[in-house]
């Protein structure tokens, strides 16, 4: 038995090492290999059944061609698309999805899918005797590997195939789209386009034949470099490709046309521009910039390179204060920005290799040591408000983790935070059960300012816990907030129980609690918010649920357009296991008596109430506002008032107020 186990382990290790020995490999993600192969990053969505291609520089995940393959609540029908894309040396996926061919065709079947190694193609599936397709293939490796998906025919009888390829030593994914008109007589007119989901903190642009999307805060960029056409940023997230004639092509009967683009991941826009310049065979030189102040290297400083009025790119320095990239020869300006320090700009001439130091003046620091009444470490939220002419500090975007906006979240009350010099009012809190500490401070450049205090628990809540039964982070798809940051903020605000309730997927906070060593501070369990139409009545939270890692929706149920069908399905999930069911932000009049919201009584979706253990009734202050008339169609109205009317007619469903953050 030991020999068999060792043999299996050897086979797994050998398969996972293929890309090291042969540089490029293609594999289908399975229960056995996914934990070793899945890329890293806040926006990773790979699941079992997807396909991963890797070489020595890049890893890319192509979503399995299936009608039920969704990345999250708002990123749907992703079969055959790029859902994860990283450089192997950084493992930092921030891309939600790149829809090659802009959803013009749907990839809902493995029929026609194939893998290729050095141009030798084999099917990516097998068939049973009954003709059923079974996805799967033996891992392949070689100098060049490819994965091809074929679409279902459209109404105009056109089909699309997309081939994704990685080649040894190349820092990009080759993408070839073949469009075929299968009609025997009609001419088809098709757009040449892609679309991208890269949200909130991203900026976008087109320059010298390159379409780019960049998020300098989370250190990620992606570029699309077409051949034979020029990218044009269209409306929304659509990228059109302009040929000499137009962005449309006409296909005669039985005609096929092929388009080609290279998709390039990078750690920042400067690196991306350098890589694509190399792809286009332009002359480049290595540039290394280190940012420092009197205390030494400065990490996460923003470095911006411009040429006249043209933005070349931005990047954030690493923990050693370094940004390194390739750049074309020329005269540029370089600007360094870092919180609490004076912004500096100087000329940068690139004629050969560049290695320079850029030195800013120092900043101020606050050094915190916050404890409980007995002097023990305690999680806390510390907010800084500028006094007089001092403005509120901006530590980072609202989607971050530890330092967010003007707030620092601390797991133990001890931290050192950069801050501009000035005068501030500091608010130190740990939820409403602890007395708030307020104190003014003055911060001087180059010096530490100490913040101390004891958080006193003055509200006796014996027999009660503080809970938030409804919150979200990036996996939900309607925001890009760090889930780790969400957990840290819940603990800092003294939430004692919080189920994980991401939209449209079962998920868990366990890994974040382990990283924080804080499982004793926050009770939790897997759960979800099943988010269907019509809004706002067909949203339900439930927990606990069985979390199935790397499965579609974490093993959760699918939505239904009938709210009663959906809530019954959710209540019965996991073999009718006991769970709490919560109606989220409802319009209760619509549930109780007016299902189509036309102002006429039709019985509504009243059966939903039989499955609700609790109902959200925020905002609570509206309890003092008695409505003079019913809310018009489309308006939720006074939810807490409507809930009290439910109590009056015998529905004993507790009301709750959550953050829905």
């Amino acid at each position: 038995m030991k020999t068999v186990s060792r043999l299996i382990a050897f086979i797994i290790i050998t398969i996972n090492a293929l890309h090291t020995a042969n540089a490029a490999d293609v594999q289908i993600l399975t229960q056995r290999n996914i934990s070793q192969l899945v890329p890293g990053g806040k926006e990773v969505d790979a699941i079992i059944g997807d396909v991963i291609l890797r070489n020595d520089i890049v890893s890319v995940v192509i979503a399995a061609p299936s009608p039920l393959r969704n990345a999250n609540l708002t990123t749907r029908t992703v079969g055959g698309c790029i859902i994860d894309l990283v450089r192997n040396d950084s493992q930092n996926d921030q891309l939600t999805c790149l829809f090659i061919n802009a959803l013009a065709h749907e990839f809902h079947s493995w029929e026609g899918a194939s893998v290729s190694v050095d141009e030798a193609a084999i099917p990516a599936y097998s068939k049973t005797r009954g003709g059923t397709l079974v996805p799967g293939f033996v891992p392949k490796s070689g100098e060049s590997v490819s994965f091809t998906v074929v679409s279902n025919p459209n109404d105009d009888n056109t089909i699309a195939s997309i081939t994704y390829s990685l080649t040894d030593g190349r820092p990009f994914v080759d993408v070839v789209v073949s469009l075929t008109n299968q009609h025997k007589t009609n001419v088809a007119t098709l757009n040449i386009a892609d679309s991208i989901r890269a949200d909130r903190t991203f900026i976008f642009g087109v320059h010298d034949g390159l379409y780019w999307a960049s998020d300098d805060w989370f250190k990620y960029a992606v570029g699309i470099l077409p051949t034979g056409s020029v990218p044009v940023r269209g409306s929304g997230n659509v990228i059109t490709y302009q040929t000499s004639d137009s962005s449309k092509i006409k296909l005669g009967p039985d005609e096929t046309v092929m388009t080609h683009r290279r998709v390039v991941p990078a750690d920042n826009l400067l690196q991306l521009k350098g890589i694509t310049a190399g792809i286009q065979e332009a002359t480049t030189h290595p540039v290394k910039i280190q940012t420092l102040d009197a205390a030494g290297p400065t990490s996460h400083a923003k470095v911006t390179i411009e040429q006249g009025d043209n933005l070349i790119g931005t990047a954030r320095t690493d923990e050693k204060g370094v940004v390194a990239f390739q750049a074309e020869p020329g005269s540029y300006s370089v600007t360094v920005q870092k919180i609490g320090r004076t912004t500096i700009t100087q000329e940068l001439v690139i004629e050969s290799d560049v290695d320079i130091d850029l030195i800013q003046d120092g900043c101020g620091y606050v050094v915190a040591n916050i404890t409980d009444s007995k002097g023990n470490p305690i999680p806390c939220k510390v907010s800084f408000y500028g006094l007089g002419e001092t403005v509120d500090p901006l530590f980072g975007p609202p989607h971050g983790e530890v330092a967010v906006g003007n707030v620092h979240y601390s797991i133990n009350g001890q931290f050192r935070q950069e801050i501009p010099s000035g005068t501030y009012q500091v608010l130190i809190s740990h939820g409403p059960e602890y007395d708030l500490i307020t104190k003014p401070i003055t911060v001087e450049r180059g010096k530490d300012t100490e913040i101390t205090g004891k958080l006193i628990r003055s509200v006796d809540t014996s027999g009660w816990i503080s809970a938030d039964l409804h919150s979200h982070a990036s996996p939900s798809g309607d925001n890009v907030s760090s889930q780790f940051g969400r957990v840290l903020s819940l603990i800092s605000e003294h939430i004692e129980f919080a189920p994980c309730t991401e939209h449209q997927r079962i998920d868990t906070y366990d890994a974040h609690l382990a990283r924080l060593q804080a499982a004793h501070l926050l009770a939790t369990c897997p759960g979800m918010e099943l988010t269907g139409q019509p809004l706002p009545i067909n949203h339900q939270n439930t927990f606990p649920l069985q979390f199935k890692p790397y499965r579609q929706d974490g093993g959760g149920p699918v939505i239904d357009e009938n709210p009663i069908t959906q809530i019954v399905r959710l209540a019965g999930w996991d073999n009718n296991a006991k769970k709490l069911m919560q109606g989220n932000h409802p319009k209760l009049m619509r549930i109780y008596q007016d299902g189509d919201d036309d102002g006429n009584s039709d019985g509504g979706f009243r059966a939903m109430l039989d499955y609700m253990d609790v109902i959200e009734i925020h905002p609570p202050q509206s309890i003092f506002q008695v409505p003079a008339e019913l809310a018009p169609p489309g308006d939720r109205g006074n939810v807490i008032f409507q809930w009290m009317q439910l109590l009056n007619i015998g529905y004993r469903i507790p009301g709750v107020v959550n953050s829905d953050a």
Side-chain angles (χ1 to χ4, degrees), residues 84 184 370 411 461 499 629:
D84 298 322
K184 300 303 180 183
I370 311 302
I411 192 62
T461 57
E629 56 187 21

Side-chain angles (χ1 to χ4, degrees), residues 460-538:
D460 183 2
T461 57
S462 300
W464 296 81
I465 61 168
S466 174
D468 189 343
L469 309 183
H470 187 180
S471 62
H472 300 289
S474 186
S476 285
D478 60 350
N479 69 95
V480 296
S481 299
S482 161
Q483 196 180 67
F484 174 84
R486 174 68 64 220
V487 172
L488 177 58
S489 67
L490 289 168
I491 294 172
S492 299
E493 298 275 17
H494 194 222
I495 298 298
E496 295 166 298
F497 172 68
C500 187
T501 58
E502 304 293 2
H503 285 294
Q504 231 71 329
R505 67 167 71 184
I506 301 172
D507 207 345
T508 176
Y509 291 150
D510 290 351
H512 306 306
L513 290 171
R515 175 182 166 187
L516 289 165
Q517 299 181 348
H520 62 293
L521 296 174
L522 179 69
T524 187
C525 64
M528 75 179 303
E529 179 177 8
L530 194 56
T531 309
Q533 297 287 344
L535 287 171
I537 64 172
N538 203 14

Side-chain angles (χ1 to χ4, degrees), residues 56 94 113 124 137 139 143 145 203 205 235 261 272 328 339 359 372 400 438 460 491 521 534 558 576 630 651-652:
D56 52 336
Q94 301 295 325
F137 54 89
E143 182 179 352
V145 295
I203 60 173
S235 60
R261 61 277 258 155
L272 176 64
E328 296 182 58
I339 185 171
I359 302 174
D372 65 12
T438 63
D460 183 2
I491 294 172
L521 296 174
V558 297
N576 291 306
L630 293 177
Y651 286 94
R652 295 295 190 259

Side-chain angles (χ1 to χ4, degrees), residues 630-641:
L630 293 177
D635 189 336
R636 286 197 307 150
N638 188 322
V639 178
I640 196 168
F641 176 81

Side-chain angles (χ1 to χ4, degrees), residues 115-132:
V115 292
S116 300
V117 179
D118 300 332
E119 300 184 358
I122 60 169
Y125 58 91
S126 58
K127 284 188 177 181
T128 65
R129 289 183 178 179
T132 302

Side-chain angles (χ1 to χ4, degrees), residues 233-511:
R233 188 178 176 196
S235 60
N237 297 321
V238 176
I239 311 152
T240 59
Y241 299 99
Q242 185 80 32
T243 64
S244 56
D245 299 322
S246 70
S247 61
K248 296 181 181 294
I249 54 173
K250 290 187 176 182
L251 288 178
D254 291 324
E255 186 178 358
T256 296
V257 67
M258 300 174 68
T259 62
H260 174 237
R261 61 277 258 155
R262 291 161 174 162
V263 181
V264 188
D267 297 335
N268 54 66
L269 185 54
L270 289 174
Q271 185 187 62
L272 176 64
K273 293 286 187 73
I275 293 171
T276 55
I279 293 171
Q280 295 169 314
E281 299 183 345
T283 299
T284 63
H285 298 290
V287 177
K288 178 183 175 183
I289 297 172
Q290 185 176 36
T291 63
L292 307 100
D293 64 12
T298 54
S299 64
H300 214 72
K302 183 176 181 179
V303 177
T304 302
I305 306 293
E306 295 175 300
Q307 192 169 47
D309 294 330
N310 296 322
L311 172 68
I312 302 302
T314 62
R316 295 278 177 170
T317 57
D318 63 17
E319 66 279 359
K320 296 180 180 179
V322 172
V323 165
F325 55 96
Q326 296 284 132
E328 296 182 58
S331 295
Y332 305 86
S333 65
V334 55
T335 300
V336 179
Q337 297 167 286
K338 176 68 172 167
I339 185 171
R341 299 161 177 86
T342 302
T343 298
I344 60 172
T345 300
Q346 70 178 52
E347 184 181 15
L348 175 66
V349 177
I350 300 176
E351 297 174 336
S352 58
D353 295 5
V354 174
D355 187 345
I356 61 171
D357 294 341
L358 297 178
I359 302 174
Q360 295 177 282
D361 50 14
C363 71
Y365 296 87
V366 289
V367 180
N369 184 18
I370 311 302
T371 68
D372 65 12
S373 59
K374 297 180 180 179
N376 298 315
I378 187 171
C380 59
K381 171 185 176 182
V382 183
S383 306
F384 298 85
Y385 296 91
L387 296 175
E389 296 182 356
T390 303
V391 299
D392 294 351
L394 179 59
F395 300 134
H399 321 293
E401 295 184 342
V402 177
V404 178
N406 66 330
V407 174
H408 187 108
Y409 292 103
S410 174
I411 192 62
N412 58 12
Q414 300 174 18
F415 62 88
R416 187 170 189 256
Q417 172 66 54
E418 299 172 315
I419 191 169
S421 57
T423 304
Y424 300 91
Q425 183 79 351
V426 181
L427 276 60
I428 305 167
S429 62
H430 186 47
E433 299 169 32
Y434 287 77
D435 290 346
L436 177 70
I437 300 173
T438 63
K439 55 177 59 182
I441 62 169
T442 298
V443 178
E444 297 182 37
R445 188 183 300 277
K447 295 183 179 180
D448 289 351
T449 300
E450 292 187 356
I451 302 175
T452 60
K454 291 182 181 290
L455 285 163
I456 307 300
R457 189 171 190 170
S458 60
V459 180
D460 183 2
T461 57
S462 300
W464 296 81
I465 61 168
S466 174
D468 189 343
L469 309 183
H470 187 180
S471 62
H472 300 289
S474 186
S476 285
D478 60 350
N479 69 95
V480 296
S481 299
S482 161
Q483 196 180 67
F484 174 84
R486 174 68 64 220
V487 172
L488 177 58
S489 67
L490 289 168
I491 294 172
S492 299
E493 298 275 17
H494 194 222
I495 298 298
E496 295 166 298
F497 172 68
C500 187
T501 58
E502 304 293 2
H503 285 294
Q504 231 71 329
R505 67 167 71 184
I506 301 172
D507 207 345
T508 176
Y509 291 150
D510 290 351

Side-chain angles (χ1 to χ4, degrees), residues 547-625:
F547 174 49
K548 298 179 180 178
Y550 302 123
R551 299 288 182 177
Q552 180 66 57
D553 303 328
V558 297
I559 59 175
D560 195 278
E561 62 183 11
N562 185 312
I564 297 174
T565 301
Q566 177 171 303
I567 198 170
V568 170
R569 178 182 298 158
L570 186 58
W573 205 248
D574 291 340
N575 296 316
N576 291 306
K578 188 174 180 60
K579 56 182 72 70
L580 183 138
M581 301 283 293
Q582 173 179 284
N584 287 350
H585 43 66
K587 181 173 184 180
L588 288 173
M589 288 295 293
R590 191 170 180 184
I591 290 175
Y592 183 73
Q593 69 179 32
D594 184 8
D596 57 9
D597 204 24
D598 65 353
N600 298 310
S601 179
D602 56 21
F605 300 102
R606 198 173 302 174
M608 294 178 69
L609 298 171
D610 297 332
Y611 294 88
M612 293 183 187
D613 298 304
V614 294
I615 298 176
E616 286 188 333
I617 57 172
H618 48 260
Q621 64 270 23
S622 60
I623 195 171
F624 301 110
Q625 302 162 2

